[in-house]
Amino acid sequence: MSTVNIKELSAPSFALQMTPSLDQFLADHQLSLGGKAIRKEQALEDMYNMIHGKYELRFQKGTIIPRPADLSSACIAAIITCVIDVVSIVLQAAGVPESVTKDAAEAIVADIPTEALTGLEQDILALEQADSLTDKAKAIFTIFSGVYKVTGIRQILGAIEHNMAWYEWVLMGTVITAQVTAWIATDGIAAIAEIVILGALVAQAVADATLAVTACVIN
């Protein structure tokens, strides 16, 4: 997988580049799929339509287990909100429809240990202090990279697996795996341009980073 942003590819180029990714995803998740058959040509077409907003995904919100009461401080709550913003932005930048990114991000962040979230404090401070939109986008990807180091791609996929129909999970999971792992491998260089486009969402993430910095007294 190259560092190209897959949303920029033509339909034929997308199919050519994503076929190995789909094959690998199906091989890696045989147990989860339980022998379900899939028409690869149709899946690739649906994936292409998905990243261009022409294939609707459905996400069933599950019950999120509350964190221990002694850790549910304003600081932790503010960090969680900011990290959900960040994960949602990167998922959307990767091609996941905006309609499901927030719910998916909440499910992913719910599985992250509190200690790991508080370990992102300095990266959140860097986001709050970033000046240009590009620097803010870089800071967002840095926070996401910190999340990725804790979760890895399998935990990210596992967090959303049971909230979606299996076929839609294959579409979304293949795109996330292909694009996000490529970005992580190249320090997010190609991701920055996609994140910059999401200016309004970036602004919200910065606002929530400011709340986290204040609540946690990060300096």
Side-chain angles (χ1 to χ4, degrees), residues 71-177:
L71 296 177
S72 59
S73 65
C75 170
I76 296 299
I79 289 175
I80 289 172
T81 298
C82 182
V83 176
I84 288 173
D85 289 343
V86 165
V87 174
S88 179
I89 287 170
V90 174
L91 291 181
Q92 188 171 333
V96 177
E98 182 180 5
S99 59
V100 302
T101 52
K102 184 68 176 294
D103 289 339
E106 288 179 355
I108 291 166
V109 175
D111 282 351
I112 301 175
T114 300
E115 296 77 8
L117 290 172
T118 56
L120 298 171
E121 285 185 346
Q122 289 303 313
D123 293 330
I124 290 173
L125 176 62
L127 172 58
E128 189 267 339
Q129 294 181 338
D131 293 322
S132 69
L133 184 54
T134 298
D135 286 342
K136 292 171 185 176
K138 290 178 181 178
I140 283 171
F141 194 80
T142 296
I143 295 171
F144 180 82
S145 296
V147 170
Y148 189 90
K149 288 176 183 177
V150 175
T151 62
I153 195 64
R154 285 190 174 274
Q155 186 171 328
I156 289 174
L157 298 175
I160 62 177
E161 177 183 356
H162 302 296
N163 300 89
M164 308 182 72
W166 73 269
Y167 180 71
E168 295 180 354
W169 178 67
V170 170
L171 301 183
M172 182 169 162
T174 302
V175 166
I176 291 174
T177 302

Side-chain angles (χ1 to χ4, degrees), residues 5-7 14 46-55 57 88-98 100-101 171-172 175-176 179-180 183 194 198:
N5 292 326
I6 60 177
K7 288 192 287 187
F14 178 88
D46 290 340
M47 247 185 276
Y48 183 79
N49 288 333
M50 181 192 78
I51 66 173
H52 291 287
K54 299 178 181 178
Y55 186 98
L57 293 182
S88 179
I89 287 170
V90 174
L91 291 181
Q92 188 171 333
V96 177
E98 182 180 5
V100 302
T101 52
L171 301 183
M172 182 169 162
V175 166
I176 291 174
Q179 187 68 93
V180 169
W183 282 345
E194 292 294 331
L198 304 174

